[in-house]
Amino acid sequence: MSKVIAVILTYNRQDLLQLCLAAIYSQTCICDQVIVVDNASDDHTQEMLSKLDYSNLKVYLLSQNVGAAGGFNAGFRLAYKEGADYIWMMDDDVIPEPFALQRLIEADNTLDKNGIDRAYLISTAFTENGYVTNSPSINKKINHIGYKDWPKFAQYGVVSVDRATFVSILVPRGTIDRYGLPISDMFIWGEDTEYTLRITEDVPGFVVGASKVIHLRQEKGVLNIISENSEVRLKYYKHLIRNRIFVTKKYRPAHVVVKIMCLDLYMILKLLRRRQLKKAGIVTAGLVEGFLFSPEIEYIDSPVKSQCLPLRIYKCESL
């Protein structure tokens, strides 16, 4: 039997984390282990976790907030070290429906029986009101007679994709062995795009229609610095701009890179006209950093960066 470990990345959202854990432990297909990676929360997350009595739950408290990229990097490392054959990764605001994991595993078995290789499988995500969110990008590989190949997988209840997010993604151990880990230096926003594009260069991932999750707090739609009102989130837009340019340079043709840069320049002018100087400065900084940013891929045997080391490790029932 394959060993499946669920990994939840959390930061200062204890209420959401409780909902996520309850959903994980209500699955029709039980995980062999559940790992919570706490990205140095400074609320009452640790106190809440200490009162839980879930079985096979292990909590890792990181020594500092290393962003989503560093947290996911640590989560994949930890689950791999625990011997996972499959790592089921998600944020704390993802609420899987009871059959979510079972449907992912069933789809994986179906693809395996039909000799179809896969980089990962991912659930279909919805908002609380039923809108599709976190849509992955359909794989556009062409078959021998010049047509896109993705419709042939519909008979198995899946669609081949490449770019996706870490919203209920099931990653086989072999994918990590071959392609490595998310790039922790990206910090936040875009690390999942880079990783899923990287691991689907040879074989696609698959979105599973029957595996469903609710992604809470997604009604605002895609990220937009013009409409952003949160000072906490605003500072992260520099990473978004930088990472987008980095990923585009790495995986897209040169003319797409030029287009993205032109759009960012237009955004700067638009913000300046609105006298939103702080936001214009953030976009400018991200654009400049995007030219210079070239982080290395980390592999499972690469040294763990000091900021990603857990400060404390424990099982909840032993506290």
Side-chain angles (χ1 to χ4, degrees), residues 100-121:
L101 179 57
Q102 181 179 331
R103 299 305 184 223
L104 288 174
I105 292 174
E106 288 173 349
D108 185 74
N109 290 336
T110 297
L111 293 172
D112 186 54
K113 289 177 182 177
N114 286 277
I116 301 169
D117 203 0
R118 56 269 177 218
Y120 66 85
L121 293 97

Side-chain angles (χ1 to χ4, degrees), residues 226-227 268-277 279:
I226 291 179
S227 59
I268 293 170
L269 293 174
K270 193 173 183 179
L271 290 167
L272 288 173
R273 289 196 197 101
R274 297 185 178 203
R275 300 186 183 278
Q276 294 180 304
L277 302 184
K279 290 183 177 181

Side-chain angles (χ1 to χ4, degrees), residues 65-300:
N65 186 340
V66 293
F72 286 127
N73 180 294
F76 277 115
R77 284 183 184 272
L78 294 166
Y80 186 99
K81 185 178 179 181
E82 293 285 346
D85 297 302
Y86 290 89
I87 299 170
W88 188 27
M89 181 69 71
M90 68 196 73
D91 273 310
D92 53 13
D93 57 356
V94 176
I95 313 299
E97 293 190 354
F99 287 91
L101 179 57
Q102 181 179 331
R103 299 305 184 223
L104 288 174
I105 292 174
E106 288 173 349
D108 185 74
N109 290 336
T110 297
L111 293 172
D112 186 54
K113 289 177 182 177
N114 286 277
I116 301 169
D117 203 0
R118 56 269 177 218
Y120 66 85
L121 293 97
I122 192 166
S123 301
T124 307
F126 298 88
T127 68
E128 300 98 306
N129 293 319
Y131 298 110
V132 171
T133 184
N134 299 93
S135 306
S137 296
I138 291 177
N139 186 279
K140 297 179 181 179
K141 289 190 176 179
I142 305 297
N143 62 23
H144 292 300
I145 59 173
Y147 285 88
K148 292 182 177 67
D149 218 24
W150 64 263
K152 77 175 184 181
F153 302 108
Q155 61 185 309
Y156 307 122
V158 300
V159 176
S160 59
V161 296
D162 42 44
R163 182 204 56 79
T165 64
F166 291 155
V167 176
S168 183
I169 187 171
L170 187 70
V171 181
R173 186 180 187 89
T175 294
I176 297 170
D177 286 328
R178 184 171 182 180
Y179 297 100
L181 301 159
I183 299 174
S184 58
D185 285 339
M186 295 182 73
F187 192 75
I188 194 171
W189 291 344
E191 74 288 337
D192 46 8
T193 293
E194 190 284 327
Y195 189 65
T196 50
L197 286 174
R198 188 199 324 161
I199 65 180
T200 54
E201 286 191 284
D202 298 315
V203 297
F206 291 92
V207 60
V208 181
S211 176
K212 300 177 182 179
V213 301
I214 305 300
H215 195 185
L216 300 174
R217 308 180 328 116
Q218 293 297 299
E219 293 293 335
K220 291 183 178 180
V222 297
L223 297 168
N224 186 339
I225 192 170
I226 291 179
S227 59
E228 184 61 66
N229 295 316
S230 169
E231 288 295 323
V232 174
R233 287 165 60 88
L234 186 60
K235 63 184 179 181
Y236 295 139
Y237 276 83
K238 181 181 72 171
H239 302 296
L240 174 67
I241 303 297
R242 178 199 65 187
N243 293 342
R244 184 169 60 202
I245 293 173
F246 163 65
V247 172
T248 305
K249 288 192 302 181
K250 186 175 180 181
Y251 295 104
R252 301 303 186 201
H255 73 272
V256 180
V257 179
V258 173
K259 179 181 178 180
I260 291 296
M261 290 166 48
C262 289
L263 289 172
D264 287 335
L265 289 170
Y266 175 73
M267 179 68 71
I268 293 170
L269 293 174
K270 193 173 183 179
L271 290 167
L272 288 173
R273 289 196 197 101
R274 297 185 178 203
R275 300 186 183 278
Q276 294 180 304
L277 302 184
K278 182 177 180 179
K279 290 183 177 181
I282 290 171
V283 177
T284 302
L287 185 58
V288 172
E289 288 189 19
F291 282 106
L292 307 173
F293 191 56
S294 185
E296 294 184 358
I297 294 174
E298 299 169 58
Y299 291 90
I300 199 65

